[in-house]
Amino acid sequence: LVVLIMELNDANLQTLTQFLRKTLDPDPTVRRPAEKFLESVEGNQNYPLLLLTLLEKSQDNVIRVCAAVTFKNYIKRNWRIVEDEPNKISDPDRTAIKANIVNLMLSSPEQIQKQLSDAISIIGREDFPQKWPDLLTEMVTRFRSGDFHIINGVLRTAHSLFKRYRHEFKSNELWSEIKLVLDTFALPLTELFKATIELCQTHATDVNALKVLFSSLTLIAKLFYSLNFQDLPEFFEDHMETWMTNFHGLLTLDNKLLQTDVSYLLLYIYSLYTARFVTAIWNLLVSTGQEVKYDLLVSNAIQFLASVCERPHYKHLFEDQNTLTSICEKVIVPNMEFRSADEEAFEDNSEEYIRRDLEGSDIDTRRRAACDLVRGLCKFFEGPVTAIFSGYVNSMLAEYAKTPRENWKHKDAAIYLVTSLASKAQTQKHGITQANELVNLTEFFVNHILPDLKSPNVNEFPVLKADAIKYVMIFRSQLPKEQLLQAVPLLITHLQAESTVEHTYAAHALERLFTMRGPNNTTLITAAEMAPCTEQLLNNLFKALAFPGSAENEYIMKAIMRSFSLLQESIVPYIPTLIGQLTHKLLQVSKNPSKPHFNHYLFESLCLSVRITCKANPATVSSFEEALFPVFTEILQNDVQEFLPYVFQVMSLLLEIHSNSIPASYMALFPHLLQPVLWERTGNIPPLVRLLQAYLEKGGETIARSAADKIPGLLGVFQKLIASKANDHQGFYLLNSIIEHMPPESLIQYRKQIFILLFQRLQGSKTTKFIKSFLVFVNLYCVKYGAIALQEIFDSIQPKMFGMVLEKIVIPEVQKVSGPVEKKICAVGITKILTECPAMMDTEYTKLWTPLLQALIGFFELPEDDSIPDDEHFIDIEDTPGYQTAFSQLAFAGKKEHDPIGDAVGNPKILLAQSLHKLSTACPGRVPSMLSTSLNAEALQFLQGYLQAATVQLV
C-alpha cells in the first residue's frame, strides 16, 4: 500500500478548510464532490493531524466544529484495524494523535470537547489499556487542576470509556481492565466527589457555580454506577458510607437548582440504606412540581420505588392499604396526566412523541415510570391496586362524559391507567401476551374504545383517537378476531387523519394486525376478508404519504409493504398506478437518503410488486424495467451509496425472472459492475455477487460471445474476494456460477490460474469456511468437466498434486460440508472420482481409492462435523467500520436455492451403487477385492444396502 504524505503546511490547511466549508453546502452538486475529495485523501499520512491543527487554530468557529466532527467520524471509520482490510491510519499518525488528543480535548470549547471526547473513547475501546497505558494517569492528574471545565472534560471522557462495563459480558480480560482502572481511578474519584460536595456547601447561594458543580456530580455518579455495575469492588465496599451518606444528602438537599440524575445514585443501596432512601425519595416526589425540567428526576425516583416494591424483602414497606392508596393518589395518578408539554410534542414534534410512545424510548418519562410502578405493585398487591385504580378510572371516565371538550385528558389518563393495569407481559411481535384477569379488556374496548374509532370526524380529539388505535394495537392478541375485523375498516379511515401521530398509529396498527398468525399458521386476517376494503386501504396509505411531515413515514411504508404481502394477487390490478408512485418516491428520497427504515420498506414494496405481478404474468417484467431503470441509472450515476445494495438486489430479482436470455439493457451495465471501487464497500458485496450470478445464469453464452474481454475482470473480482476471510465464500459463489454457466472453451486459458490462486490462499490461511467452499468447488468442477479433467489440472500444477488434495483435504475434511445442495455436489463429485478416473485404478493413487470410498460412505451416514477451531470463532463477524453502508438483505428479494445437478441425480447413494456396478463390469473382480481387503465392516454393510436399493451387484 503506497501511503501519500500530506505536508503539515498552510497550503494544505487552506485546501482542507475550503473543502470542509463545501461539505456544509446544502447544494448536493457542491457538497458531494467535497465529500468525495475528503474520502479520497483520508488514507494520506498527516490527514488527521491537519484536521486537529484546524480544530485547534482555525479562526473560523464553524470550520473548527466541522473539523472536529470530521475527525471523530474519520476515527470511527478507520481506527479499528480489520484483518484483510487496508490500515488507513499510519503508525506515526496513531502515535501523534494519542500523544496530543487529551490535551487538545481539555483545552477546547465544549462543542469541540464533546467530539474529541467521543474520539478518545473510540480509540480507547481499541487501544486501552494495552496500547495506551498512560491514558488514565494523564487524565487523573487533571483532577488537581481545580478548573471544572477541565475536570468535566476528564469525567465526560472517562464516562464514555467506562460505560461499556454496564453491558459487557463477564470475562477475565474485563475484570483485569476494571481492576487496573480502579487501582488508578477509584481513590482520586472518591476524593474529587468529597471535594465537590464541600464546594457545593461553600457556594450554596451561587447559581452559576452550583450548575457546574452539579454537572460534575452527575458525571461522578455515572462513573460510580459504571465501576460498580459488574460487581461491588472492595474499594467501594470500604468507602460505601462516604458515598451513600453524600448521595442521601444530595437527595434531601432542598435546593430548587438541583435536577441531578438520581438513577446512578441508587444502584448499590443495601438494606441498611434502603428504608432511609425510600423515605427521602418519597418526600422528594411529593414535593417536586410538574415542570418538564424535573422529568428526569421524577421518572428516576419512581423507577427506584418500582424496583424496590418488586423485591420480596421490601414488601412490608408497601403492605398497608393507606400506603398503597397514598402512592396511587400522590405519585401514580399525577404522573400519568397528559400535560401541556405532551400536547405540544403530540402536535409539533410528532416524530419524538411516536418514538417515546410506540418504540419504548420513553424510559425517562413520568408516564412510563408510573406505569412501571403500577406493574411493580401488582406483583404482590394485584387485587388491592386494581380495586383502587378501578375507582379512579370510573371517576375519570365520568368526568369526561359530563364535558368531553374540556375533560378529554381525563379519558386519556383512564385509558393509560387501564393499559398499565392490564399489561403483565409484552413482546414486539404479539403486543400484550399476558394480561391482568381482573381487567375486562373486551368490555372496555366495546364501551370506551370503539365509540372513539367510530366517531365520524377523524380529526376531533386526535389524542383520544391515537389512544384508541394504540389500545387495539397492544391488546391485539387479547381481543377476539371479530372485534379486530370490526376495527380494520375504522383504522383505514383514520389513515386520513391530519394528525401525524394519529395516521401513523393507524398505519402501524394495520401493519401489526396483518402480521398476526391464525390457528394453522396462516395470517389471522385473510386477503378474502380484506377484499371489501382493499382499494380504500391502498388509496389511503399512499395518500397518507402526502401529509406534511409524513413524506418519509416509515410506519406508513411498512404498512404498504405488509399490505402487499397480505393481499398478494389482489394488488395486481392496482400495480400500474402504484408502481409509478413508488418509483417517484424512490427518485425523491435518493436525492438525500435520510430515513434508512423507510428506504428499506420502500425497496421491499418494490420487490413485492415485481414478485406478485410477474408470478401471475412473467412477461410484465419488462414494464417494471421501464419504470425502474431510469431511477436506478440515476442512483448508480450519482453513486448513492446507501441505495446501491438495494438496487443490485432488485435488479437480480428482475433478471432472474427472464427466461434464458439477457436483455441488452443489462449487458450495457455489465462492465460497470466490475469496477473495483464498487467492491471496496463491504455492503455491496453480497448483492453484487448475486447480480453477477444472475448475469452468468441467464447469459453465460452471451458474455463469452460479446464480452469475452470482461472475463479477466470477472475473475479479478473472484481473486479479490477469496483473499478475504470475511468474503471468501462470496468469491466461491461467483466462481461456481462461472464454472457452471460459462462455456468451457471460454475459460480454458484461465482454469490453471484459478486453481493456483486457491492453493496460494490454502497455504496462506486455511479456515474451515474456506475448506468447505473449496471442497464444493472442486466437486462441482468434477461434475461439470469430468474426473479426468480434474485430476489432470491438479497434476499439471505440480506432479502428484491430485493425490495430495484427496489425502490432505477431501478425505479428512469432507465431513464438514453442510447444506443439502452442497452435500449433493460433493457426493456426486466424489462418486465420479471413484468410478470415472482411470488414474484411481492403476497408479499410485489406487491406495487412496478405498479411504475415499470410506469417507464418502461416512459422509452419507455419519453426523456432520460442525466443530470449528478456537481461533476461528469470530471470523465471520467482522464489524463494518463506522459509516460504511452495511448490507441489508431484502426479505422479498429472496433467491431460491439453486441446485446445479438438479433432477439428473435423485439419490446420490443410488448413483454411487450404479456407478460402482458400471466400474466393476468394466474391470471385473477389481472392485470386490479392493472392498474386501480394506473397507471397514460397517461401511461395507451400508454399501450393500445401497447396492440392494439400486438392484445392482458388483462383479
Side-chain angles (χ1 to χ4, degrees):
L1 189 72
V2 182
V3 176
L4 299 170
I5 298 181
M6 296 170 83
E7 295 299 327
L8 282 165
N9 56 30
D10 288 346
N12 277 336
L13 287 170
Q14 199 51 46
T15 309
L16 208 48
T17 304
Q18 284 165 3
F19 279 103
L20 285 173
R21 188 165 280 116
K22 284 179 183 169
T23 62
L24 303 172
D25 198 300
D27 178 357
T29 56
V30 177
R31 188 179 69 246
R32 283 227 171 97
E35 290 168 349
K36 284 269 181 288
F37 170 79
L38 291 178
E39 206 178 305
S40 70
V41 296
E42 70 172 24
N44 298 356
Q45 193 173 329
N46 289 341
Y47 169 73
L49 306 184
L50 284 162
L51 285 175
L52 289 177
T53 311
L54 275 183
L55 71 84
E56 183 183 15
K57 300 193 169 146
S58 170
Q59 300 302 305
D60 181 340
N61 211 28
V62 173
I63 292 298
R64 291 182 71 187
V65 174
C66 183
V69 173
T70 308
F71 175 79
K72 181 195 73 180
N73 290 339
Y74 163 83
I75 293 293
K76 192 169 185 176
R77 274 199 305 276
N78 301 312
W79 193 272
R80 166 174 279 191
I81 297 173
V82 178
E83 195 176 0
D84 302 327
E85 303 276 329
N87 171 8
K88 279 197 173 172
I89 308 183
S90 66
D91 289 340
D93 281 357
R94 286 173 185 270
T95 311
I97 289 168
K98 285 192 285 199
N100 296 309
I101 191 166
V102 175
N103 267 336
L104 200 51
M105 184 266 297
L106 296 175
S107 58
S108 299
E110 192 161 342
Q111 246 184 324
I112 293 172
Q113 193 177 70
K114 281 189 170 143
Q115 300 298 331
L116 291 179
S117 174
D118 284 351
I120 292 173
S121 73
I122 295 163
I123 298 169
R125 209 170 300 142
E126 298 301 318
D127 289 16
F128 175 78
Q130 279 76 15
K131 296 186 199 162
W132 203 358
D134 50 354
L135 170 65
L136 271 192
T137 20
E138 194 180 345
M139 281 165 46
V140 166
T141 50
R142 307 306 170 94
F143 283 164
R144 301 193 199 106
S145 67
D147 176 344
F148 272 86
H149 174 69
I150 291 177
I151 290 172
N152 280 357
V154 172
L155 291 171
R156 200 173 291 117
T157 307
H159 171 53
S160 61
L161 273 176
F162 304 153
K163 70 179 173 199
R164 66 186 179 85
Y165 299 158
R166 301 176 191 181
H167 43 247
E168 292 260 324
F169 285 118
K170 290 179 167 45
S171 69
N172 288 337
E173 288 82 352
L174 183 67
W175 291 122
S176 15
E177 184 180 323
I178 293 177
K179 185 179 182 317
L180 184 119
V181 169
L182 288 166
D183 291 347
T184 318
F185 207 78
L187 182 61
L189 184 71
T190 308
E191 296 302 328
L192 179 69
F193 179 49
K194 291 196 297 201
T196 313
I197 293 279
E198 280 167 24
L199 285 169
C200 287
Q201 287 153 359
T202 318
H203 298 281
T205 52
D206 181 343
V207 178
N208 293 330
L210 281 181
K211 276 188 177 157
V212 176
L213 293 169
F214 284 149
S215 69
S216 307
L217 285 170
T218 304
L219 286 163
I220 291 170
K222 289 179 180 183
L223 286 165
F224 177 80
Y225 185 50
S226 299
L227 294 174
N228 286 280
F229 194 93
Q230 292 279 341
D231 199 0
L232 182 64
E234 200 178 331
F235 177 87
F236 286 115
E237 203 169 348
D238 296 344
H239 293 78
M240 190 54 81
E241 189 61 44
T242 307
W243 283 89
M244 287 301 152
T245 308
N246 284 315
F247 280 160
H248 186 261
L250 284 173
L251 280 175
T252 51
L253 189 66
D254 182 25
N255 191 322
K256 284 291 166 253
L257 295 164
L258 179 67
Q259 299 140 39
T260 186
D261 209 335
V262 183
S263 64
Y264 301 103
L265 320 183
L266 308 172
L267 182 69
Y268 281 107
I269 301 169
Y270 293 109
S271 44
L272 80 126
Y273 298 107
T274 300
R276 191 162 85 179
F277 272 88
V278 167
T279 316
I281 284 167
W282 173 256
N283 293 333
L284 185 78
L285 278 170
V286 175
S287 61
T288 304
Q290 284 283 350
E291 296 90 330
V292 174
K293 63 182 178 179
Y294 298 127
D295 282 6
L296 199 58
L297 175 67
V298 169
S299 68
N300 280 320
I302 298 176
Q303 289 287 8
F304 172 72
L305 289 181
S307 63
V308 173
C309 75
E310 280 188 331
R311 296 181 183 173
H313 45 287
Y314 300 128
K315 196 171 141 187
H316 64 277
L317 294 172
F318 300 90
E319 269 169 342
D320 183 32
Q321 181 75 19
N322 295 335
T323 309
L324 285 175
T325 310
S326 181
I327 288 178
C328 294
E329 190 180 315
K330 294 187 174 150
V331 177
I332 292 171
V333 173
N335 286 302
M336 278 199 176
E337 282 169 10
F338 195 77
R339 296 170 305 164
S340 49
D342 299 317
E343 202 172 346
E344 275 168 34
F346 185 93
E347 287 165 8
D348 305 331
N349 191 359
S350 49
E351 209 167 305
E352 181 55 31
Y353 182 91
I354 292 164
R355 191 167 27 249
R356 283 211 316 246
D357 195 42
L358 266 195
E359 296 173 18
S361 71
D362 57 349
I363 301 296
D364 50 6
T365 61
R366 293 176 181 237
R367 276 195 141 180
R368 168 71 179 268
C371 180
D372 289 348
L373 180 52
V374 172
R375 284 187 197 157
L377 290 168
C378 281
K379 188 168 174 184
F380 293 120
F381 314 107
E382 188 170 54
V385 169
T386 307
I388 294 167
F389 279 133
S390 300
Y392 278 108
V393 169
N394 292 333
S395 69
M396 285 172 176
L397 289 170
E399 288 296 313
Y400 165 75
K402 277 185 223 159
T403 46
R405 198 153 295 286
E406 283 77 48
N407 288 342
W408 63 266
K409 286 185 182 177
H410 287 293
K411 180 166 183 179
D412 168 82
I415 296 174
Y416 204 87
L417 250 179
V418 169
T419 308
S420 311
L421 268 180
S423 322
K424 277 185 162 180
Q426 185 169 8
T427 67
Q428 192 70 38
K429 191 173 174 185
H430 303 291
I432 301 296
T433 51
Q434 207 186 342
N436 177 342
E437 271 88 53
L438 305 173
V439 180
N440 187 333
L441 292 168
T442 311
E443 192 181 295
F444 192 83
F445 173 79
V446 173
N447 295 339
H448 303 290
I449 299 295
L450 210 49
D452 282 345
L453 290 176
K454 283 181 168 171
S455 120
N457 180 356
V458 289
N459 294 316
E460 189 184 31
F461 300 133
V463 175
L464 292 183
K465 298 279 199 302
D467 288 341
I469 296 168
K470 188 181 170 193
Y471 186 94
V472 174
M473 182 170 57
I474 65 173
F475 291 117
R476 60 187 181 275
S477 297
Q478 309 294 322
L479 294 170
K481 180 175 172 177
E482 54 274 18
Q483 290 187 346
L484 297 179
L485 285 173
Q486 207 179 350
V488 166
L490 304 172
L491 293 172
I492 292 173
T493 311
H494 284 278
L495 289 168
Q496 297 173 298
E498 286 159 17
S499 152
T500 306
V501 175
E502 194 181 331
H503 62 242
T504 301
Y505 279 23
H508 187 48
L510 286 164
E511 188 273 328
R512 294 285 82 194
L513 292 179
F514 293 167
T515 53
M516 290 177 73
R517 293 275 155 199
N520 49 358
N521 209 26
T522 52
T523 53
L524 180 72
I525 295 173
T526 62
E529 287 166 330
M530 288 301 298
C533 44
T534 295
E535 187 165 345
Q536 197 195 357
L537 169 69
L538 296 171
N539 271 339
N540 288 4
L541 280 168
F542 277 89
K543 274 189 201 155
L545 288 173
F547 280 117
S550 276
E552 292 181 39
N553 185 319
E554 65 186 66
Y555 291 99
I556 298 174
M557 191 45 83
K558 192 177 187 184
I560 290 173
M561 170 193 84
R562 198 68 70 196
S563 304
F564 283 10
S565 172
L566 173 76
L567 298 167
Q568 290 295 325
E569 55 276 9
S570 321
I571 64 167
V572 173
Y574 307 102
I575 286 295
T577 46
L578 298 182
I579 199 74
Q581 296 185 50
L582 288 171
T583 43
H584 177 64
K585 182 59 77 180
L586 178 58
L587 192 59
Q588 285 175 316
V589 295
S590 67
K591 303 272 190 286
N592 183 18
S594 55
K595 295 281 184 68
H597 289 101
F598 177 86
N599 300 334
H600 187 90
Y601 301 133
L602 171 57
F603 277 103
E604 291 281 22
S605 303
L606 285 169
C607 290
L608 275 162
S609 316
V610 171
R611 214 169 246 274
I612 293 166
T613 314
C614 295
K615 184 177 167 188
N617 177 6
T620 50
V621 69
S622 54
S623 51
F624 281 107
E625 286 162 353
E626 279 165 33
L628 291 167
F629 270 32
V631 190
F632 286 179
T633 309
E634 194 157 321
I635 290 171
L636 290 165
Q637 282 170 345
N638 293 330
D639 190 26
V640 184
Q641 293 188 20
E642 296 89 332
F643 281 6
L644 293 185
Y646 291 128
V647 167
F648 298 143
Q649 287 178 81
V650 181
M651 286 181 65
S652 303
L653 181 65
L654 292 165
L655 185 48
E656 285 158 8
I657 291 167
H658 281 273
S659 52
N660 294 327
S661 66
I662 198 161
S665 52
Y666 287 87
M667 281 313 292
L669 187 66
F670 183 63
H672 301 287
L673 301 178
L674 303 175
Q675 289 172 349
V677 60
L678 282 178
W679 294 89
E680 274 162 23
R681 298 182 201 139
T682 39
N684 287 347
I685 290 173
L688 262 179
V689 166
R690 175 181 168 191
L691 182 54
L692 289 181
Q693 284 183 288
Y695 268 88
L696 289 160
E697 187 186 331
K698 301 294 176 186
E701 300 277 350
T702 317
I703 293 171
R705 199 173 51 248
S706 61
D709 56 329
K710 296 294 174 280
I711 296 175
L714 198 56
L715 292 168
V717 168
F718 149 74
Q719 182 174 357
K720 178 182 166 56
L721 293 174
I722 60 145
S724 148
K725 283 184 187 171
N727 296 316
D728 49 18
H729 60 293
Q730 297 284 351
F732 277 109
Y733 292 161
L734 184 58
L735 180 59
N736 292 345
S737 289
I738 292 172
I739 293 297
E740 188 186 346
H741 300 295
M742 293 287 284
E745 61 281 4
S746 64
L747 296 174
I748 290 172
Q749 64 202 51
Y750 306 112
R751 282 187 215 166
K752 190 169 173 180
Q753 189 53 37
I754 289 172
F755 278 94
I756 290 171
L757 286 170
L758 293 174
F759 283 124
Q760 285 169 344
R761 166 65 209 269
L762 267 174
Q763 282 174 321
S765 69
K766 179 173 126 178
T767 64
T768 306
K769 177 159 74 94
F770 185 85
I771 285 175
K772 283 159 74 166
S773 303
F774 177 75
L775 284 167
V776 174
F777 161 69
V778 166
N779 284 298
L780 181 69
Y781 189 94
C782 178
V783 172
K784 177 79 180 170
Y785 294 133
I788 298 175
L790 181 71
Q791 176 249 318
E792 285 174 349
I793 197 159
F794 276 139
D795 288 346
S796 70
I797 294 170
Q798 187 184 321
K800 301 181 188 165
M801 174 72 97
F802 181 59
M804 284 191 277
V805 171
L806 290 179
E807 190 177 358
K808 297 280 190 292
I809 298 175
V810 179
I811 294 170
E813 306 282 8
V814 74
Q815 205 62 37
K816 292 197 163 121
V817 174
S818 53
V821 174
E822 290 82 351
K823 287 187 142 175
K824 186 173 176 183
I825 292 169
C826 289
V828 176
I830 294 173
T831 300
K832 281 182 171 293
I833 295 172
L834 286 166
T835 61
E836 295 175 17
C837 178
M840 287 299 288
M841 296 302 285
D842 48 19
T843 65
E844 63 204 90
Y845 294 154
T846 310
K847 65 177 189 295
L848 297 169
W849 192 90
T850 321
L852 184 61
L853 177 62
Q854 176 117 2
L856 178 57
I857 296 170
F859 185 53
F860 286 143
E861 304 299 343
L862 296 172
E864 179 192 318
D865 171 11
D866 54 6
S867 60
I868 294 180
D870 288 347
D871 56 343
E872 283 182 33
H873 277 295
F874 299 105
I875 287 172
D876 290 356
I877 34 183
E878 290 179 9
D879 282 9
T880 40
Y883 290 122
Q884 274 205 17
T885 317
F887 166 56
S888 297
Q889 172 77 54
L890 289 168
F892 295 110
K895 180 184 176 186
K896 286 204 291 287
E897 187 162 36
H898 167 67
D899 178 357
I901 295 169
D903 299 332
V905 176
N907 180 345
K909 296 177 183 177
I910 302 286
L911 176 75
L912 173 63
Q914 291 167 341
S915 305
L916 286 173
H917 166 70
K918 198 169 158 191
L919 176 68
S920 76
T921 51
C923 41
R926 286 285 305 279
V927 177
S929 75
M930 286 159 80
L931 293 178
S932 57
T933 51
S934 47
L935 194 67
N936 81 23
E938 204 178 347
L940 197 54
Q941 204 176 342
F942 280 121
L943 184 58
Q944 295 296 348
Y946 308 159
L947 292 164
Q948 276 169 3
T951 61
V952 292
Q953 289 174 319
L954 301 180
V955 291

